[in-house]
Structure formats: C-alpha cells, structure tokens
Amino acid sequence: MCLLALCLPAAARADDSRTFFAMDTVMTVTVPGGSEALLSACEDEVRRLEALFSVTDESSEIARLNAEGRAVLSDETAALLGGALDAAALTDGALDVTLYPVVRAWGFTTGDYRVPDDGELAALLALVGWQQVTLEDGEASLPPGVMVDLGSVAKGFASDRLAALLRGSGVTSALIDLGGNIYCLGAKRNGSAWRIGVRDPDGSGEYIGVVAVTDKAVVTSGSYERFFVAKDGTVYGHIFDPATGRPAESGIVSATVIGPCGFQCDALTTALYVMGLERAEALLETLEGVDALLVDAEGELWATGGLRETFTPMGAYSAAAIHWIR
Ligand code: ADP
Ligand code: MG
C-alpha cells in the first residue's frame, strides 16, 4: 500500500484528504499540503461533536436530555440547540428540532420504515413544538415526551468548527465536505474559487450547475438524499413538515444555501425545503449575506441575485431560465 502511494503523482497524493463515516454520512476533508496529523485532528473533532449531539448514542448530551427531560449542556451543545431554536423562530417553525418523535415513528432513525396512521400522528404531533424547549444558562429542559434531534443542523455546525480548527492551524485553503454540507475554506491553492456542483434532485446523479465560492459554506437539502418507497410505491422523504408530521411536499424539491456560516446554511436549507416557494421567497427577501438556489417540482430554478455572477447552470439545465428572487 505504501508502495502504491509512492507511485501516485504528487497532485493526487492520498494524504491530502481523509474520508470517514460519521454523523450517519460519508465525509471528506481535503487540505492541500496538509499533514496526516491535521486530517486526524479534523476527524477527531467531528467524532467529538457527534458524541455530544447524536440522538441515537445513549451517552450523548442530547440523548440524556431526551431520556431525563433535563440536562446541563456543554457550551457547544447549548450553542447549537440555542441556534436551532433561533432558527425555528426565524423560519416560523419550519425548522423544528422537536420533530424527533415523529421522524422516529416513520422509521427514519432506525431504518424500520413505516407509515404511521392519522391517530398515531396526531398523538405524536402534540409532542412537537420548539417553544416547548427551555434553555437557560446552559440548562435545557423538556416537557414529558418531548425530544430534540439536532440532525438537521449538526453537520453545518461541525463544518464551521473544522474551518475554525484549520484556520487556527494556519491553513488557508481546504475543502470540508460533511455529507453534502460543504465548507470552502479560502480559495484553491492556485487562487481560483472552489467550484461546487449542485446535484439534480431527480436522483440521476447529474448536476444542475456549479457555484464558484471562496470562504463560504454550500449546503443542499433534498429528499432524493434519504427516502423510502412504501408498498404502494409512494416515495417518502426525510424532511418533514412540522405542521403535518408528514414528509414535506412544499413544491420545492431541492434547496441550496450559500453563506459564511455552515450552521446557518444547514438550518436554512431544511427550512426553505419545508416552507415552499412563497414563504421561502419572503424569508430570503429579509436575509442579507446568504444566497439560495431552489428547484421546484417542475424543474424550474429560483435564485437570489448573488448567484448571477457565481452560478453556472449545466447539463439539462444549461439553457434554463432562472427566476431571480432578489
Ligand atoms: P441531511 O441530514 O440529509 O443533510 P437536513 O439537514 O435537511 O438533511 O436534515 C434532515 C434531518 O433532520 C432528517 O433526517 C430528520 O432527522 C430531521 N428533520 C426532518 N425534518 C425536519 C424539520 N422540519 N426540522 C428539523 N429537523 C428535521
Ligand atoms: Mg439541514
């Protein structure tokens, strides 16, 4: 194996990047010229955060909060939960970290997929509502039966932490890909912007286009990433509408957000997907410093003005007319 590595051209040196499985997804951190120790530090950092936030790991802070209804949280878990509650307020509850009892009933955390009936959903929905979470001086508490899951924002938060870790180590160019939650640190080493492909939500594996970014996160949410097909052929995706307790069918099939904060982008992609075009447009009008690219069920593209210069549609979308939001 060492011999094989020696045969590789310098540009493809495998030790420039590290791929590992964490937070239920495949992650790759690429640091051109970076050391093995630095890549290990990145992997360790993600695993450390996962051990705090994981809803399925019984020893995590979040699992303890869910089991006991009350927990004193570390600064990081409190920051992430607090940020998620702020995002819930901003998105009028489209992002709601208390959806967990519903998501679990559909089998999305276990893989035992099923369609709960209306009575079961109504009972579970009574447990959903981000306003039920109390967070004060790092101590969180939940009413009986209420549970939180930070899965919709944890990868974006982790990408910010990795960017900070790498910057602190003097790194000026890196690509952090946490299962589609991408953070571009600086530019490529040749000075050109990172070019990030946005997948076609039709599941074909093709791209609708490329965004050119430096020092920004690029995050996409789409149900083509995780879904199950019921016996009757219905496809159920993993992003839920807190108003119904069912997979969101808002007319938006993919939402990409580009901005300086990975956490914010991760929270917004999930929320925009749930909100649908009208609500998404109204929210995006009020947000500065972030851009968004939405694909609707008809395959039409909707984008904010910052993408005029940086987004290049391609493939089946190369001639697509883009509806500009602002
Ligand atoms: P991914 O984890 O595929 O990147 P998201 O960031 O969009 O996707 O988060 C979706 C996950 O968050 C789901 O797997 C589910 O556990 C949870 N979730 C689903 N819908 C919501 C929602 N409306 N608000 C908060 N969390 C959600
Ligand atoms: Mg998200």
Side-chain angles (χ1 to χ4, degrees), residues 18 22 25 46 159 216 224 261 315:
R18 172 77 59 92
T25 192
V46 173
S159 74
K216 275 187 184 149
Y224 61 94
C261 171

Side-chain angles (χ1 to χ4, degrees), residues 8-291:
L8 292 172
R13 269 192 11 206
D15 58 359
D16 276 358
S17 75
R18 172 77 59 92
T19 297
F20 53 96
F21 190 85
M23 296 185 172
D24 214 17
T25 192
V26 178
M27 305 184 160
T28 300
V29 178
T30 304
V31 184
S35 67
E36 203 55 32
L38 197 55
L39 294 169
S40 293
C42 290
E43 181 176 349
D44 292 349
E45 177 67 353
V46 173
R47 297 200 187 284
R48 188 182 67 79
L49 295 171
E50 181 177 27
L52 294 177
F53 307 148
S54 168
V55 72
T56 49
D57 171 354
E58 281 173 23
S59 61
S60 81
E61 292 189 3
I62 291 302
R64 274 197 299 113
L65 170 63
N66 288 342
E68 290 161 25
R70 176 174 293 273
V72 176
L73 304 176
S74 63
D75 290 350
E76 283 164 313
T77 307
L80 181 53
L81 179 57
L85 296 175
D86 291 345
L90 177 75
T91 62
D92 204 11
L95 182 90
D96 190 328
V97 291
T98 64
L99 259 172
Y100 183 56
V102 170
V103 173
R104 191 173 64 163
W106 284 80
F108 274 98
T109 46
T110 57
D112 293 329
Y113 298 115
R114 53 190 278 277
V115 180
D117 65 34
D118 290 350
E120 184 181 353
L121 276 184
L124 291 172
L125 274 175
L127 302 171
V128 173
W130 60 275
Q131 290 100 332
Q132 304 190 77
V133 182
T134 310
L135 177 65
E136 256 173 31
D137 300 328
E139 183 165 356
S141 60
L142 308 170
V146 174
M147 292 189 274
V148 300
D149 161 23
L150 300 176
S152 60
V153 287
K155 284 174 280 178
F157 183 88
S159 74
D160 292 332
R161 287 299 152 120
L162 290 194
L165 184 159
L166 290 171
R167 282 198 183 99
S169 304
V171 171
T172 54
S173 172
L175 188 64
I176 299 161
D177 178 355
L178 309 186
N181 276 247
I182 292 172
Y183 193 99
C184 303
L185 196 162
K188 288 200 223 170
R189 285 226 290 187
N190 67 9
S192 62
W194 295 102
R195 291 166 57 78
I196 306 300
V198 179
R199 283 206 189 276
D200 190 328
D202 71 359
S204 62
E206 301 292 318
Y207 293 92
I208 61 175
V210 169
V211 279
V213 288
T214 52
D215 271 325
K216 275 187 184 149
V218 181
V219 182
T220 300
S221 277
S223 270
Y224 61 94
E225 293 169 341
R226 213 174 284 232
F227 58 85
F228 75 95
V229 184
K231 284 199 189 86
D232 68 359
T234 311
V235 178
Y236 295 101
H238 75 310
I239 301 172
F240 281 73
D241 184 344
T244 63
R246 296 176 177 281
E249 287 198 35
S250 69
I252 292 179
V253 295
S254 160
T256 298
V257 177
I258 299 123
C261 171
F263 161 79
Q264 188 193 28
C265 293
D266 199 2
L268 284 173
T269 55
T270 308
L272 294 173
Y273 186 99
V274 171
M275 293 171 96
L277 268 177
E278 210 169 302
R279 287 173 70 198
E281 273 189 82
L283 176 61
L284 287 167
E285 300 278 2
T286 69
L287 293 179
E288 282 176 18
V290 294
D291 275 299

